[in-house]
Amino acid sequence: MATRLHEEPDPQAGQSLPGWVYHDADFFEAEKTAFLRAAPQVVCHASEIANAGDWRKLDYLDESIIVMRGDDGAVRAFHNICRHRGSRLVDENGGCARLLTCPYHGWSYGRDGALKGVPSRDDYEGLDQGKLGLKPVDVEEWQGFFFVTLGKGAPSVAEMMAPYAHEIAPYRFKELKPIGRLTLRPRRLNWKTIADNYSDGLHIPVGHPGLTRLFGKSYAIEAGAHVDKMEGDLRDTPSANRSERAYQHLLPDTPHLPQSHRRKWLYFKLFPNVAFDIYPDQVDFMQFLPVSATKTVIREISYALPDDRREMRAARYLNWRINRQVNAEDTVLIERVQAGMESDAYEPGPLGTSEVCLRSFASKLRKYLPQAVFARPPAP
């Protein structure tokens, strides 16, 4: 397994984080303030809000955000909160609307967020509708995907992914279309337990026999300033597993990709909690949305370039079957870790020199929150 680290050395780099930071409520609140609110969160792809009035919703850190395309073609983001009495405007994950109308008192807002209608308007003396539009949220488009941020201080997605822009370009992200439904999977896990596992290379040969059959020893990890990168090349030797063997055989050629990437599985994790799984046949995104110190919602959806080839349809189905098994294996593994982290008997263990992504992640946490060096939680 090849590894690379691009980051300033940390004097505690060989030490993992203490268990209490994976379940302590006060530490979770500190994380929200220190970096979670500022972290860009992917909401949707441009193809999902292609027409005026199309919108998608993201719930993140007790906030609800709507991303909507206006009549002028611009995409804006708003808090999902009526300016009258604070009611949520929408409950679904997406839709299309001429107006967003509050289900409580009927106040309505246009596609640009402006307040358009107020029932019993005469009741409100001196009401300035121009000052009561939906509260905006910062939104960034990157390669056709829309990201929102609740706070300031984090680099943009474009800045984070700049070192990999040349590698991403051939995948033609802007032309992607959704090929599956959005899934939300609640888990009784700290978000960091999931994030750690996503970038952990050493558990692949132990916990994922399927990936090991597919990649052999080609799996490699790399830790950057803002992004972890993982990759593996599909072996030519047929797998003993039926689905894996069929995927190896049926995966069609993808001439838009360089030869080096036509049989490569590529993974990127943006600090702290957004990930893209990039395959020759499709692109999946995954978010680890923190709800509390011990609860996280995993949010996922798949995208792909339009391709009606029978072999491509089969490859995408087999990809889903293979990764469904990988996800099931990961679920068991990280539940074991979470249980161990919540035990008073756990003490921070060593991190090997090859565990560059875990070292990088732990260093970032210690940088943002120096209390993470303590063996036990400090007094509130």
Side-chain angles (χ1 to χ4, degrees), residues 51-325:
N51 303 308
D54 289 345
W55 59 269
R56 291 295 183 272
K57 177 175 71 75
L58 171 72
D59 295 328
Y60 180 62
L61 297 181
D62 299 321
E63 298 288 355
S64 186
I65 303 141
I66 302 168
V67 172
M68 189 174 200
R69 191 175 295 277
D71 292 322
D72 58 358
V75 173
R76 301 174 179 86
F78 313 103
H79 284 281
N80 181 20
I81 299 173
C82 179
R83 296 298 304 277
H84 178 215
R85 295 292 304 282
S87 171
R88 292 286 169 89
L89 298 170
V90 298
D91 299 316
E92 297 81 10
N93 290 316
C96 183
R98 184 176 65 86
L99 293 171
L100 295 174
T101 300
C102 179
Y104 196 14
H105 298 100
W107 285 36
S108 58
Y109 302 85
R111 292 167 172 173
D112 60 354
L115 178 60
K116 296 294 187 181
V118 179
S120 305
R121 172 69 176 77
D122 294 340
D123 284 355
Y124 304 92
E125 296 181 6
L127 181 71
D128 186 347
Q129 289 189 205
K131 295 181 178 180
L132 289 172
L134 297 178
K135 287 198 169 182
V137 176
D138 288 339
V139 61
E140 173 193 1
E141 180 182 3
W142 174 78
Q143 296 290 330
F145 286 95
F146 290 98
F147 290 74
V148 296
T149 51
L150 295 174
K152 305 291 186 182
S156 67
V157 178
E159 291 171 323
M160 290 185 186
M161 290 298 296
Y164 309 103
H166 66 287
E167 190 169 19
I168 292 292
Y171 288 93
R172 294 157 41 191
F173 272 23
K174 291 185 178 182
E175 301 173 38
L176 295 173
K177 308 287 184 183
I179 60 170
R181 62 183 179 86
L182 175 72
T183 62
L184 300 169
R185 296 187 287 140
R187 292 287 185 265
R188 192 199 170 280
L189 298 163
N190 182 271
W191 70 272
K192 295 187 294 299
T193 308
I194 307 171
D196 282 344
N197 180 77
Y198 187 89
S199 300
D200 184 315
L202 291 184
H203 85 285
I204 301 296
V206 180
H208 296 308
L211 294 183
T212 302
R213 288 189 293 265
L214 287 174
F215 298 149
K217 297 181 179 180
S218 70
Y219 197 76
I221 65 175
E222 175 182 323
H226 306 289
V227 177
D228 290 345
K229 175 186 173 183
M230 289 66 64
E231 61 182 303
D233 295 311
L234 296 176
R235 302 172 66 202
D236 293 329
T237 304
S239 169
N241 176 274
R242 182 178 179 181
S243 293
E244 296 159 10
R245 186 169 65 252
Y247 180 83
Q248 290 173 302
H249 175 69
L250 291 174
L251 180 65
D253 190 33
T254 46
H256 61 284
L257 297 178
Q259 197 68 43
S260 60
H261 284 59
R262 294 182 188 181
R263 297 183 69 81
K264 183 185 290 293
W265 283 17
L266 191 60
Y267 309 86
F268 291 99
K269 186 186 77 179
L270 284 64
F271 181 82
N273 65 323
V274 175
F276 285 92
D277 302 351
I278 305 175
Y279 310 101
D281 45 299
Q282 66 187 62
V283 175
D284 302 344
F285 85 69
M286 179 186 294
Q287 288 159 281
F288 326 125
L289 301 176
V291 178
S292 71
T294 54
K295 184 178 179 182
T296 303
V297 173
I298 301 175
R299 183 176 186 262
E300 298 173 293
I301 192 169
S302 299
Y303 300 90
L305 295 172
D307 191 328
D308 292 330
R309 287 179 291 176
R310 183 177 65 177
E311 294 86 357
M312 184 61 82
R313 292 197 300 270
R316 289 170 179 167
Y317 170 72
L318 292 164
N319 182 312
W320 173 79
R321 283 184 60 92
I322 293 166
N323 279 297
R324 183 179 64 171
Q325 178 62 32

Side-chain angles (χ1 to χ4, degrees), residues 317-377:
Y317 170 72
L318 292 164
N319 182 312
W320 173 79
R321 283 184 60 92
I322 293 166
N323 279 297
R324 183 179 64 171
Q325 178 62 32
V326 173
N327 289 338
E329 292 162 355
D330 274 331
T331 297
V332 174
L333 292 172
I334 57 182
E335 285 177 349
R336 290 174 177 270
V337 172
Q338 184 67 37
M341 291 296 180
E342 294 181 21
S343 169
D344 288 338
Y346 177 75
E347 296 179 358
L351 292 175
T353 55
S354 67
E355 296 182 275
V356 292
C357 293
L358 294 184
R359 285 175 169 238
S360 175
F361 187 82
S363 294
K364 288 182 176 69
L365 262 290
R366 287 189 284 261
K367 177 181 176 181
Y368 279 109
L369 293 168
Q371 298 90 339
V373 303
F374 298 152
R376 293 286 182 268

